[in-house]
Amino acid sequence: MKRRIAALFLLSLLVGCERMEALPVERYPASPVGDGLERNLDTACIADYREDVDYFPERSRFDWSTQLSVEYGRHFKRVSFRPSVDTGETLEILLVQCGTPVPAHDAATVVVEVPIRRLATGNSAMLGAADELGIVERLVGIENIRSPTVEAVRRRIAEGGIQELWGYAHANIEPIMAVRPDVYLSFYSAYPQFNLHPQLQRVGIRALPQADHLEGHPLGRAEWLKLLAMLVNREAEANRRFAVIETEYLYWRDLAAQAQRRPQIMAGFPSGRDSFEVFGALNQRARLLADAGGGYVLAGLREHGSLLQLGFEEVYLAGAEAPVWIGAQSGYSSLAQMLDSTPRASWFAATRAGQVYAFDRGYTGAWASPAHDNGMTRPHLALAEVVQVLHPELVHSSVPPTFLRRLP
């Protein structure tokens, strides 16, 4: 009953559009740095601020993302988020080195002292990125503690360091507040009424939208690793890792470009009796298929969305004769089980040929798989696997599968 009353109280604040003061953060100890730094401080604040000193000698930039941009000052980073989908929103994020003054900013700007100590997320795509940056110990809350496949995250859950934030609509505001995150990364929906970050900001949570899935290019999605790094002043590590991702991705893209044929690819899966869940042709998932040397059957669907609903007939007309189906629904143990659940899937040529693949290798149930937790920062691996399926004649040595699985 007490939890319900507290939730109702929070909702009353939201209805009234009142903005509470931001929750206090846990600062790192302050250290004197004198005339300057050779590397960013990822576990310390500034004890002797001077306006002529550059406190961010290690910096990142966004070359592939169409939604993120950043401008560095000597002691702050001004990040702009402009979603690729038409939600009518832009957001300015001011990341300020702790121990230094906050620059002038608009009232709507989200101000965050960096490096942060406590991170919470409502999107598992950031779990693999947190592990790669070595900051899993800063995770204090995730949406579901039963689904992670990242081993470092699983260990921290077992130790009691991560709390579950699962909930629906406004119901998860209270547990998010309870873990006192310095930053909460909120899954960004193409449908504004489902976005939680504005409500969280009103109750004092520094909530930042996470819209990696709406990028138009897989490398643009992977660059969200850099945003996470900016929160902890680990730009150098993010730059190093992204350089490997970019090099490998472009290698496989250029290899696929040598193919003499570009097979059509069926994608998506039935989401109801008469509907299909698909993605827009401007989405990063469609670009990955194109870079693998294939053609997305819904190339005329000129949208950025990653979760779109179409009628079965429209999808069937577009993809009935495609020789391969990549991105079927996760969790089916076999093609026969998929057909038992959705008999009309047997009408597609790819199904009859047994060429149906899902990005669910290592699936543990409830949409939990390495592709969900690590796919954001490993598009080069996904691309290599799709190239191997579409153009095996170009691949001289087989690529060990990480995400993609052919339904037996």
Side-chain angles (χ1 to χ4, degrees):
M1 180 61 72
K2 289 182 179 179
R3 290 174 61 86
R4 188 172 301 174
I5 292 172
L8 290 173
F9 171 71
L10 289 175
L11 286 174
S12 70
L13 290 176
L14 298 178
V15 171
C17 295
E18 299 179 16
R19 183 179 289 272
M20 296 173 59
E21 290 296 321
L23 299 181
V25 300
E26 292 187 9
R27 280 187 166 195
Y28 282 103
S31 299
V33 299
D35 295 336
L37 298 167
E38 294 183 357
R39 57 184 298 273
N40 294 355
L41 296 178
D42 60 357
T43 57
C45 296
I46 302 299
D48 54 348
Y49 169 71
R50 287 170 37 185
E51 64 179 13
D52 62 332
V53 174
D54 185 356
Y55 294 103
F56 297 124
E58 299 167 332
R59 302 182 174 193
S60 289
R61 66 183 188 186
F62 297 105
D63 295 318
W64 294 89
S65 172
T66 59
Q67 301 182 108
L68 294 172
S69 61
V70 63
E71 176 187 352
Y72 279 81
R74 288 191 177 96
H75 69 282
F76 64 88
K77 319 165 194 182
R78 201 180 298 272
V79 179
S80 296
F81 166 67
R82 294 176 176 82
S84 60
V85 291
D86 186 17
T87 61
E89 177 183 28
T90 60
L91 182 64
E92 297 295 320
I93 306 161
L94 188 59
L95 308 179
V96 183
Q97 172 64 48
C98 59
T100 71
V102 177
H105 59 276
D106 294 335
T109 300
V110 179
V111 180
V112 178
E113 284 194 342
V114 295
I116 65 171
R117 296 191 66 163
R118 300 174 64 84
L119 173 69
T121 178
N123 187 351
S124 65
M126 276 294 181
L127 299 183
D131 186 33
E132 292 176 30
L133 291 174
I135 60 169
V136 169
E137 78 281 355
R138 305 190 199 197
L139 277 174
V140 294
I142 62 176
E143 79 277 21
N144 184 351
I145 62 173
R146 291 171 293 279
S147 64
T149 60
V150 177
E151 187 56 36
V153 176
R154 292 171 63 87
R155 287 197 302 268
R156 181 158 168 78
I157 291 170
E159 295 165 357
I162 297 178
Q163 301 301 309
E164 185 169 73
L165 307 177
W166 192 261
Y168 300 95
H170 300 305
N172 58 357
I173 290 178
E174 187 184 6
I176 292 171
M177 292 184 70
V179 299
R180 297 180 296 106
D182 297 335
V183 164
Y184 176 77
L185 298 172
S186 180
F187 180 85
Y188 195 81
S189 173
Y191 307 98
Q193 66 271 27
F194 296 119
N195 280 323
L196 191 61
H197 64 279
Q199 289 85 353
L200 287 168
Q201 290 164 9
R202 293 189 188 112
V203 296
I205 300 293
R206 297 168 189 82
L208 307 182
Q210 185 181 337
D212 59 282
H213 53 288
L214 297 175
E215 289 287 346
H217 197 288
L219 290 177
R221 185 185 185 212
E223 278 195 315
W224 283 70
L225 171 73
K226 298 178 182 179
L227 177 63
L228 183 58
M230 289 174 189
L231 296 175
V232 293
N233 289 350
R234 292 195 177 178
E235 280 93 331
E237 179 64 15
N239 292 343
R240 184 183 69 81
R241 289 184 174 273
F242 184 79
V244 174
I245 295 167
E246 182 181 45
T247 298
E248 289 294 314
Y249 187 95
L250 296 179
Y251 166 80
W252 286 102
R253 182 202 66 180
D254 293 346
L255 180 66
Q258 301 173 23
Q260 299 300 309
R261 57 185 180 84
R262 294 183 62 87
Q264 289 292 100
I265 301 173
M266 172 61 194
F269 51 85
S271 57
R273 181 172 180 177
D274 298 310
S275 63
F276 246 81
E277 184 174 295
V278 298
F279 45 87
L282 302 180
N283 185 263
Q284 46 88 25
R285 294 165 67 185
R287 182 57 182 265
L288 186 138
L289 298 181
D291 284 349
Y296 182 34
V297 297
L298 295 172
L301 189 61
R302 309 302 289 175
E303 297 187 39
H304 282 90
S306 62
L307 301 172
L308 305 177
Q309 299 292 327
L310 293 185
F312 178 88
E313 291 80 6
E314 183 177 355
V315 176
Y316 178 71
L317 287 173
E321 298 306 319
V324 61
W325 184 339
I326 294 179
Q329 186 169 353
S330 300
Y332 289 119
S333 61
S334 65
L335 190 57
Q337 186 186 35
M338 183 181 109
L339 294 177
D340 283 343
S341 176
T342 55
R344 284 195 292 182
S346 64
W347 300 356
F348 291 88
T351 307
R352 296 194 299 272
Q355 292 298 307
V356 179
Y357 298 80
F359 285 103
D360 68 349
R361 186 169 293 275
Y363 184 81
T364 60
W367 295 95
S369 70
H372 283 280
D373 296 348
N374 294 288
M376 184 183 82
T377 58
R378 298 181 183 177
H380 54 304
L381 300 183
L383 180 62
E385 293 177 45
V386 178
V387 170
Q388 186 166 265
V389 168
L390 299 182
H391 305 292
E393 73 281 1
L394 297 177
V395 181
H396 301 299
S397 58
S398 61
V399 179
T402 301
F403 302 132
L404 197 62
R405 178 181 66 96
R406 178 176 173 271
L407 273 62

